[in-house]
Amino acid sequence: MLIKSPRRHQLSEQQTTPESVYISRRRVLTGLGAGIGSLLLAGNTRALDLFGSDAAQAAPRKPLTFNPHKPAPDLVLTPQAKVISHNNFYEFGTGKTDPAENAQRLRTEPWTLTVEGEVEKPGTVDVWKLMGEIGLEERIYRMRCVEAWSMNIPWVGFELGKFLKRFAPTSRAKYVAFETLYDPEQMPGQRNRYVGGGVDYPYVEGLRTDEALHPLAILSVGLYGKTLPPQNGAPIRLVVPWKYGFKGIKSIVKIRLVEKMPPTSWNKLAPQEHGFYANVNPEVDHPRWSQASERFIGPGGLFAVKRQPTLPFNGYGEEVAGLYRNMNLRKYY
């Protein structure tokens, strides 16, 4: 059974956010039952224990363990209540609390994900079955929003690259395009451009293929040991920790490997503000604010939020900077 990302991908205790209400990760390993489940249950969406102890699961799940090189009880994280209540998911409204309020009736079962395009073995997978079959890992990643705020989040998921290789990409697969569910009946922001921030839906995002194959890029199906709540992108979303958060497309239904750079939603809407690459770079400001520092969202109230310096590539430069060797990162922002 496998698990946990290499140690260099973890945050130190000093870098994580204290959270007095977060139960030790060893207790999470044995299953938290209704306590955390009640926080994540929404509408007809089940909050399942991804560690394998939830009796309501439709299929047996491979056990997930933690990195033995770091004592589990030492890790404390951004408060879960803030992770699931402070979101950008414009399909459900532009306010930070709108997704938590408006996404609760999103039907996430059944859910399929199609992979097509420049692949030798195109196909469609049942996401819920995939959760039970694939080896899941917990990875604690920094998350940096382009709006200059950040969190530390314990995602549960699997490497995007390993998943894509199942479909045998061809030599023409230079980019990977992602698409969110399009369902205006369930997503009020898709029905009304005012509610949805003027985005041209369905929401689309993209990566270069070498970025997608990098081991830090994951498809997440959970956080805090449970399946994703709707406002966080249930049942499956992208997490690319060295890029700004808007690259982390939510509620994915299609992945297409393509030869040419695909259009992306925010780049189409405001190209001067949102580049295709969107790598976290403290030296390249947003047209309306500095990116040199960020508001780190931790425990406590509004006045407890602290500013801290933003790190190049969000602190993952050692692993990913080589992807952009000889590139002008001011031009390709």
Side-chain angles (χ1 to χ4, degrees):
M1 64 186 173
L2 181 77
I3 80 64
K4 203 87 169 146
S5 52
R7 189 177 185 183
R8 65 180 180 273
H9 302 158
Q10 306 307 306
L11 298 176
S12 70
E13 183 175 3
Q14 290 73 28
Q15 292 169 308
T16 55
T17 306
E19 184 198 358
S20 60
V21 299
Y22 182 55
I23 295 131
S24 79
R25 294 167 65 221
R26 290 184 189 227
R27 287 185 61 192
V28 173
L29 186 59
T30 61
L32 293 178
I36 294 219
S38 63
L39 291 174
L40 301 186
L41 278 170
N44 60 358
T45 301
R46 292 183 298 161
L48 300 184
D49 181 354
L50 289 172
F51 296 88
S53 65
D54 195 316
Q57 295 177 77
R61 299 179 188 278
K62 293 184 178 181
L64 183 154
T65 59
F66 296 108
N67 186 347
H69 300 293
K70 187 167 185 60
D74 289 351
L75 289 179
V76 286
L77 310 163
T78 296
Q80 178 179 285
K82 295 186 179 183
V83 174
I84 66 174
S85 64
H86 185 96
N87 307 106
N88 285 329
F89 198 171
Y90 279 22
E91 284 85 341
F92 297 102
T94 58
K96 292 293 179 287
T97 60
D98 287 349
E101 294 171 0
N102 299 330
Q104 303 313 317
R105 294 182 180 178
L106 177 67
R107 297 185 297 273
T108 62
E109 297 182 69
W111 196 281
T112 58
L113 174 60
T114 298
V115 180
E116 60 185 23
E118 296 293 348
V119 294
E120 296 178 2
K121 301 176 182 178
T124 298
V125 299
D126 181 309
V127 170
W128 290 94
K129 289 183 179 179
L130 180 67
M131 290 184 204
E133 298 167 356
I134 200 165
L136 297 178
E137 305 179 17
E138 186 205 54
R139 297 195 181 185
I140 299 172
Y141 280 157
R142 301 178 185 90
M143 195 284 289
R144 173 59 155 81
C145 182
V146 73
E147 298 168 341
W149 55 267
S150 63
M151 293 180 176
N152 297 329
I153 301 175
W155 302 104
V156 176
F158 50 91
E159 288 186 20
L160 169 62
K162 290 181 179 179
F163 175 71
L164 293 178
K165 289 178 181 178
R166 293 183 171 199
F167 303 90
T170 72
S171 60
R172 295 184 298 276
K174 307 299 183 184
Y175 294 89
V176 182
F178 304 84
E179 185 174 312
T180 291
L181 174 71
Y182 182 71
D183 189 341
E185 290 187 6
Q186 294 193 79
M187 296 176 159
Q190 293 178 346
R191 293 198 305 269
N192 185 311
R193 288 181 61 84
Y194 175 77
V195 175
V199 176
D200 182 18
Y201 293 106
Y203 194 93
V204 291
E205 257 305 337
L207 298 173
R208 247 177 22 201
T209 300
D210 60 341
E211 295 177 316
L213 296 180
H214 193 281
L216 284 186
I218 65 171
L219 289 174
S220 174
V221 295
L223 51 78
Y224 280 90
K226 293 285 182 176
T227 47
L228 290 169
Q231 62 267 32
N232 290 94
I236 189 166
R237 61 166 291 164
L238 178 66
V239 177
V240 190
W242 69 93
K243 294 179 178 288
Y244 290 119
F246 68 84
K247 297 293 286 188
I249 184 170
K250 303 176 178 72
S251 301
I252 305 170
V253 295
K254 184 183 293 185
I255 298 176
R256 185 173 180 83
L257 283 79
V258 296
E259 190 169 7
K260 296 183 179 180
M261 181 181 288
T264 60
S265 289
W266 279 107
N267 185 241
K268 289 193 300 180
L269 182 64
Q272 73 283 4
E273 296 186 0
H274 304 93
F276 174 84
Y277 286 95
N279 292 318
V280 176
N281 190 341
E283 297 183 358
V284 177
D285 289 337
H286 186 279
R288 289 179 282 140
W289 55 78
S290 170
Q291 295 288 23
S293 64
E294 63 204 47
R295 293 176 296 112
F296 185 55
I297 297 178
L302 177 64
F303 296 104
V305 175
K306 297 181 179 179
R307 295 204 74 87
Q308 64 183 25
T310 293
L311 301 173
F313 297 108
N314 204 26
Y316 300 98
E318 180 180 348
E319 290 89 351
V320 305
L323 295 172
Y324 312 101
R325 190 172 291 112
N326 300 323
M327 282 183 62
N328 182 338
L329 296 183
R330 289 187 174 273
K331 180 180 180 181
Y332 300 104
Y333 59 92

